[in-house]
Amino acid sequence: MKHSYMTAAAISIAALMSTGAYAQEVDFSGKTIELIVPYGEGGGSSVHARLLAPLLEQELPGHPTIIIRNIEGGGSVRGINEFAARAKPDGLTIAALATGTYYSYILGEETVQYPLADFIPFLTSPYGVVSYGLTSFGLTGDPEHDVKYLQEHKAVYVGDGPADADMPVLYCFDLLGIELNGVFGVSRGESRQAFMRGESQVNYDNMASWDNELKPMVDDGTMVTLFTMGFQNENGEVVRDPVLPDTATCPELYEIVYGEPMSGVEKEVYENMFAIRMVTAKTLVLPAGTPDDIVQTYQAAIERVVARPELQSAAAQLELGGYPQGTGEVAIEGHRTASVMSPEAKAELDRWLKDVWNID
């Protein structure tokens, strides 16, 4: 679902791109660029930044030096607050956003002081998500059977919480009429271990874990896949994830359960969750108010980065999940859908958190 409103920055960029009116590229010779990563060293956002930064140095005119600065705290809030407060719109400070940045903003956390929707994205890196369940619990891999079975047999779910990264998957379970016993405050790796010990019966993971961690459990009959969040194709449609083309998406299962496609405010919330969790899982942005010539310089540079052979290597593709990277209008639209929620959708999300999980 495409909202009918855009930030002024997005309108300006989209207009330039649609007309092909690219400004002359800015020369960054002798400059140092700071890339703020609002998480600790060694995490997924840091690995992603360290993969791309050396290539961006080579593709920006003048080959500037890019220094990565990790600022931990508040699930990315501390670092992005500092970015919003201190970054000048001169192209010398950029930031890495992740799912926590969007969730904190959408949920209206009091500590958030950044204007997320006004940041200007120049790269979005999507990551797939798959939900799965134990065969020993009675799940078979047949979508109709498994949804009905989970509706009738309450499973245990272990994760970080419905107001955190688990939100989209837990919202999907609820849309399908599946009630879960939630055990929260647990990291993704720990939740997978709990599942493998049989302490929970359903779980989810990023698709980056598929080959090494999840597929072996499917192959030996320990688990079956339930659904994916889906994948956004070049036409902006949510289709099956190319990593698991035989596994239905959450919207497909919704239609099986109710006999009609997802619609209305539920669809809008799902699409916002999908944009956050899948489309903009890792995003690089410029501060609000950055001039068009600098924006276009970054846009052109990142397109050259994405085309470089280094990003086609097995190691790079493992980090990027094998998904196409979002640049240009794809990045703009993905960031806008993830960061802008209508009052009706926000009310529905608040209702769900309160009614289902007793979170105010």
Side-chain angles (χ1 to χ4, degrees):
M1 176 177 178
K2 294 187 177 181
H3 302 292
S4 60
Y5 44 90
M6 298 178 69
T7 65
I11 293 172
S12 175
I13 300 168
L16 280 171
M17 296 182 64
S18 64
T19 60
Y22 287 91
Q24 183 176 355
E25 291 192 5
V26 176
D27 189 351
F28 287 98
S29 296
K31 302 293 186 180
T32 297
I33 295 171
E34 183 179 67
L35 168 52
I36 293 177
V37 176
Y39 296 97
E41 295 184 16
S45 291
S46 284
V47 173
H48 181 262
R50 282 168 170 76
L51 170 66
L52 295 171
L55 304 180
L56 188 57
E57 285 180 335
Q58 296 177 45
E59 294 298 346
L60 281 170
H63 311 303
T65 298
I66 298 179
I67 297 176
I68 296 174
R69 181 180 171 211
N70 294 87
I71 305 176
E72 296 182 68
S76 84
V77 172
R78 180 169 173 260
I80 301 305
N81 277 348
E82 181 170 329
F83 170 70
R86 299 186 179 181
K88 297 178 181 179
D90 55 8
L92 300 183
T93 308
I94 58 179
L97 312 183
T99 54
T101 316
Y102 289 91
Y103 292 135
S104 296
Y105 179 83
I106 288 295
L107 292 174
E109 291 189 13
E110 293 181 356
T111 55
V112 169
Q113 299 171 11
Y114 50 81
L116 181 64
D118 292 334
F119 293 155
I120 304 171
F122 59 93
L123 177 74
T124 52
S125 292
Y127 283 80
V129 170
V130 58
S131 176
Y132 50 87
L134 281 176
T135 54
S136 60
F137 185 61
L139 301 173
T140 66
D142 175 74
E144 292 189 57
H145 169 275
D146 290 347
V147 169
K148 185 175 181 181
Y149 189 86
L150 287 169
Q151 289 173 338
E152 298 171 349
H153 299 79
K154 199 170 184 179
V156 174
Y157 175 93
V158 175
D160 61 1
D164 292 291
D166 294 3
M167 187 188 300
V169 172
L170 292 177
Y171 188 71
C172 282
F173 275 117
D174 187 62
L175 287 178
L176 299 175
I178 297 170
E179 186 178 354
L180 300 172
N181 284 318
V183 179
F184 300 127
V186 178
S187 72
R188 186 92 322 265
E190 292 170 332
S191 70
R192 190 187 311 125
Q193 292 300 315
F195 177 84
M196 294 171 67
R197 292 191 298 266
E199 297 167 2
S200 64
Q201 292 81 49
V202 296
N203 196 31
Y204 91 93
D205 258 300
N206 296 324
M207 209 68 79
S209 303
W210 175 252
D211 286 335
N212 295 330
E213 304 288 347
L214 305 182
K215 188 175 183 297
M217 288 194 286
V218 172
D219 292 342
D220 67 17
T222 299
M223 73 175 215
V224 294
T225 59
L226 299 173
F227 60 82
T228 71
M229 287 292 290
F231 171 76
Q232 183 173 281
N233 65 15
E234 58 186 10
N235 296 319
E237 302 164 330
V238 177
V239 298
R240 290 193 175 188
D241 194 300
V243 178
L244 293 178
D246 295 329
T247 299
T249 65
C250 177
E252 285 182 86
L253 292 188
Y254 182 97
E255 191 163 353
I256 290 174
V257 170
Y258 301 106
E260 59 184 14
M262 193 185 300
S263 62
V265 70
E266 290 181 336
K267 182 180 180 183
E268 185 176 348
V269 173
Y270 177 82
E271 289 179 341
N272 178 267
M273 295 294 100
F274 173 84
I276 293 174
R277 200 66 185 85
M278 175 65 188
V279 181
T280 61
K282 299 283 189 297
T283 302
L284 297 181
V285 297
L286 289 153
T290 300
D292 290 337
D293 57 347
I294 295 176
V295 171
Q296 294 301 317
T297 298
Y298 270 89
Q299 290 281 1
I302 203 66
E303 288 175 4
R304 294 192 291 267
V305 167
V306 168
R308 287 179 66 105
E310 293 93 329
L311 286 193
Q312 315 314 313
S313 70
Q317 286 300 304
L318 180 62
E319 168 57 29
L320 298 174
Y323 297 103
Q325 301 300 288
T327 61
E329 272 193 87
V330 172
I332 295 167
E333 178 64 16
H335 175 70
R336 182 166 62 87
T337 303
S339 59
V340 177
M341 179 177 273
S342 73
E344 295 77 14
K346 180 61 167 60
E348 162 62 13
L349 183 60
D350 290 343
R351 180 210 61 77
W352 172 74
L353 286 169
K354 179 65 176 177
D355 292 354
V356 177
W357 297 110
N358 198 31
I359 294 176
D360 187 352

